[in-house]
Amino acid sequence: MKKGIHPEYVPCKVTCVTSGKEIEVMSTKSELRIDISSYCHPFYTGSDKVVDTAGRVERFNKKYNLK
């Protein structure tokens, strides 16, 4: 690496605004605020909803007389 052209790599405190959790990572910034993280995202918390795609396909086939 060339010296003097790269930003400084420092410890960074990442704060999730939604859940209030704080994570310590390395970054070029000393502090970050994010809207959503793995602590509050439905995919990671298990509160996501499963869409019934089978019912949609069956209704479509019935509507257009497809087998």
Side-chain angles (χ1 to χ4, degrees):
M1 286 189 344
K2 292 184 180 179
K3 301 220 183 274
I5 64 168
H6 299 287
E8 188 177 341
Y9 202 56
V10 296
C12 174
K13 182 177 83 170
V14 180
T15 305
C16 177
V17 178
T18 308
S19 65
K21 298 280 186 173
E22 293 181 356
I23 306 166
E24 187 78 22
V25 296
M26 296 295 287
S27 177
T28 56
K29 297 187 180 217
S30 61
E31 187 175 329
L32 290 173
R33 292 174 54 95
I34 58 175
D35 292 328
I36 195 159
S37 67
S38 61
Y39 293 107
C40 58
H41 192 279
F43 179 79
Y44 295 103
T45 60
S47 63
D48 59 338
K49 296 179 182 178
V50 177
V51 178
D52 179 23
T53 56
R56 291 176 147 185
V57 172
E58 290 169 357
R59 282 194 312 245
F60 178 84
N61 289 339
K62 183 179 176 183
K63 182 177 180 179
Y64 295 104
N65 292 327
L66 301 174
K67 292 184 182 182

